Amino acid sequence: MERLISHPPLMIVSDLDHTMVDHQDHENLSLLRFNSLWEYAYRRDSLLVFSTARSPILYKELRKEKPLLTPDITITSIGTEIAFGNSMVADHDWVESLNSDKWNREIVLEETSKFPELTLQPKTEQRLHKVSFYIDEGKGEALTKELSQLLEKRGLDVKIIYSWGKNVDVIPRGAGKGEALEYLLKKLQAEGIYPVNTLACGDSEHDAELFSIPDVHGVMVSNSQEELLKWRSENALNNLKVIHSTERCADGIIQAIGHFNLGPNLSPRDVSEFLDRKTDNANPGHEVVRFYLFYEKLRRGEIKNYETYIASFKESCLHAAVLFHPSGAEKSLRDTIDELKKCYGDKREKKFWVWVDQVLVTNTIPGKWIVKFDKWEQCEDERQCCKTIVEFTSKGGDLVWETVKQIWSEESDDNSSWIL
């Protein structure tokens, strides 16, 4: 978040499973649409927050399965853990705030053992301030009421969350997705970077608290659970800041951005003229998003006049422009782009995606820009990532590519098929 020099225009706080991530969308189209929009229009000055019931362990597993962007802040384990940045540095103040004599995991385990219909979830989901169970279908509401009374008699003050008809989670009263977001907003305000607008996004009863925070916009995606929609009808039906979208998952988030006029809401993936460099050639971050969208569509065989675009991108490079390939080889960038003609359609009818993550632009020398980002490429179940630095310079008012430097990320190994 060090890149922020003023109040972020937008902070998106989104659940993951069935909200940001559509597990029925095997092509990940809605998620990739959101990714392109975020990196193109918002990454430079806004905040992305993932708020999930998953533990950090299962969250990291999801990142390996889906083309998720890197959030600025991660809230995991139903709001009992908050972490910052790529390395997920824990917010210890938040942890300490949940420690009290009103929370005791051992007592929770002791009392829940009296209910044979409860089965502990895997160890990965058992956290310092969260105890999670599976429950027999149809027994959730009655059990949570009885368990709440037992724990209160033992001196505890907890929340018991019943969701998806099969999960029961016990957390401290002061925890939860809503409380974590309120804490985060106060923290950002103290640091002078309180967001101008906040959009909360969810699909399940875990997310209900997010929609109760004053001055926060909310979207319940079209595929939301009945329990959440029932909560809305009882608690937020007349709240004009909370909508039920007509689109699923990430497409519903994009729809809400437009509904509330929070900023651009047309993904570059949905703009047919986007690849035309004349539409916007003044922003190096935009240029990066544009090129790699072209690269994906080229290899998927989805561009009719691809030779025209190749010629255009080639002309946008200095004659001496260099590609430092992650293998260590040094190549002409213009020749590399020209050779893309040989790759046209080589990934047709395959699950092939390209996305860029954490696109950050710096301009320390007049007329020169450095763009740093992660470039991801996935074909079927194999994915690779390169840490990439592109240097641009200004020539006649246009941006031109000067150098591209790539090194393998920790998640990737040397791959002879990597092109650019």
Side-chain angles (χ1 to χ4, degrees):
M1 299 193 298
E2 293 81 6
R3 70 186 185 281
L4 299 178
I5 58 176
S6 61
H7 298 280
L10 178 63
M11 180 169 76
I12 285 184
V13 182
S14 179
D15 174 53
L16 290 177
D17 295 287
H18 312 290
T19 302
M20 183 63 75
V21 176
D22 188 346
H23 292 285
Q24 294 182 23
D25 178 8
H26 301 299
E27 293 289 329
N28 298 306
L29 295 180
S30 64
L31 181 55
L32 289 167
R33 270 193 209 98
F34 176 86
N35 289 358
S36 293
L37 175 61
W38 188 261
E39 295 300 327
Y40 183 82
Y42 294 101
R43 174 68 78 173
R44 64 186 180 275
D45 59 6
S46 293
L47 289 172
L48 181 61
V49 181
F50 289 158
S51 182
T52 177
R54 287 178 177 245
S55 67
I57 296 171
L58 288 190
Y59 163 67
K60 291 176 182 177
E61 287 186 9
L62 183 65
R63 289 188 60 82
K64 294 177 182 178
E65 299 167 5
K66 295 291 182 178
L68 284 166
L69 295 180
T70 301
D72 298 286
I73 303 165
T74 312
I75 301 171
T76 54
S77 305
I78 322 181
T80 60
E81 299 178 63
I82 300 175
F84 296 88
N86 231 344
S87 53
M88 295 185 66
V89 178
D91 188 321
H92 296 294
D93 290 339
W94 176 243
V95 174
E96 284 302 313
S97 73
L98 300 181
N99 291 329
S100 76
D101 56 3
K102 296 290 186 178
W103 171 254
N104 187 306
R105 290 190 84 260
E106 297 306 317
I107 292 178
V108 172
L109 290 169
E110 180 184 335
E111 292 298 330
T112 51
S113 68
K114 299 175 182 177
F115 296 86
E117 54 268 64
L118 288 177
T119 304
L120 276 170
Q121 291 185 16
K123 288 184 178 179
T124 58
E125 298 310 286
Q126 310 304 329
R127 309 296 293 178
L128 181 63
H129 295 106
K130 181 174 81 79
V131 187
S132 297
F133 304 87
Y134 297 121
I135 187 170
D136 296 345
E137 188 175 351
K139 297 185 178 180
E141 292 186 9
L143 180 143
T144 54
K145 184 177 180 180
E146 184 178 354
L147 178 59
S148 179
Q149 293 172 346
L150 286 174
L151 293 175
E152 186 177 351
K153 289 179 180 178
R154 295 292 304 271
L156 302 190
D157 190 14
V158 302
K159 286 181 185 176
I160 302 176
I161 303 171
Y162 172 52
S163 63
W164 288 95
K166 62 178 182 179
N167 298 324
V168 171
D169 300 285
V170 185
I171 62 176
R173 175 69 61 187
K177 288 189 174 186
E179 283 79 357
L181 176 53
E182 287 185 307
Y183 168 86
L184 184 59
L185 287 170
K186 290 178 182 177
K187 187 182 186 78
L188 295 175
Q189 186 171 35
E191 295 176 359
I193 51 174
Y194 189 87
V196 177
N197 289 296
T198 299
L199 175 64
C201 319
D203 74 293
S204 76
E205 203 165 15
H206 278 150
D207 308 310
E209 295 176 345
L210 296 173
F211 306 115
S212 301
I213 300 174
D215 300 322
V216 169
H217 299 282
V219 56
M220 301 174 183
V221 292
S222 67
N223 52 290
S224 292
Q225 293 179 39
E226 286 301 320
E227 292 90 344
L228 181 61
L229 298 180
K230 180 182 177 183
W231 178 92
R232 176 177 180 251
S233 66
E234 296 173 350
N235 300 278
L237 194 58
N238 297 319
N239 185 351
L240 298 180
K241 283 183 172 287
V242 178
I243 65 167
H244 182 203
S245 73
T246 58
E247 300 288 342
R248 291 178 57 86
C249 299
D251 282 339
I253 298 173
I254 295 173
Q255 180 184 2
I257 292 173
H259 176 86
F260 293 119
N261 295 313
L262 302 178
N265 69 315
L266 188 59
S267 173
R269 288 180 173 270
D270 297 326
V271 181
S272 58
E273 300 84 9
F274 182 72
L275 295 180
D276 186 349
R277 297 190 69 245
K278 294 179 181 179
T279 58
D280 178 4
N281 59 1
N283 187 308
H286 292 183
E287 186 77 357
V288 164
V289 174
R290 177 184 291 111
F291 176 78
Y292 282 107
L293 180 55
F294 159 75
Y295 175 82
E296 178 195 273
K297 290 180 176 292
L298 173 86
R299 300 195 67 183
R300 289 172 64 97
E302 296 175 352
I303 302 176
K304 293 181 180 179
N305 302 319
Y306 69 92
E307 291 182 333
T308 302
Y309 289 113
I310 286 178
S312 174
F313 279 113
K314 184 179 175 181
E315 287 302 312
S316 71
C317 300
L318 291 176
H319 284 279
V322 179
L323 165 66
F324 296 93
H325 192 272
S327 65
E330 185 177 322
K331 303 180 179 182
S332 163
L333 182 57
R334 289 171 67 94
D335 289 349
T336 301
I337 291 177
D338 199 40
E339 291 171 2
L340 289 177
K341 297 173 186 176
K342 301 175 184 178
C343 303
Y344 180 75
D346 66 343
K347 302 298 183 183
R348 186 184 282 116
E349 297 182 359
K350 293 184 178 180
K351 292 182 178 179
F352 177 75
W353 310 297
V354 176
W355 67 100
V356 292
D357 183 21
Q358 301 185 90
V359 177
L360 298 176
V361 180
T362 56
N363 176 215
T364 56
I365 302 175
K368 286 188 176 289
W369 293 265
I370 296 176
V371 186
K372 297 181 180 181
F373 57 96
D374 291 342
K375 183 255 175 168
W376 288 90
E377 188 172 306
Q378 179 165 345
C379 187
E380 301 298 340
D381 295 328
E382 181 180 343
R383 66 163 63 182
Q384 299 287 336
C385 175
C386 265
K387 300 288 184 182
T388 304
I389 301 175
V390 178
E391 295 182 11
F392 288 96
T393 189
S394 179
K395 185 178 180 182
D398 291 334
L399 285 173
V400 290
W401 298 60
E402 192 170 356
T403 61
V404 178
K405 301 176 183 178
Q406 294 186 315
I407 60 172
W408 295 119
S409 70
E410 294 179 359
E411 298 92 340
S412 302
D413 299 314
D414 192 8
N415 186 330
S416 59
S417 66
W418 185 272
I419 300 173
L420 179 59

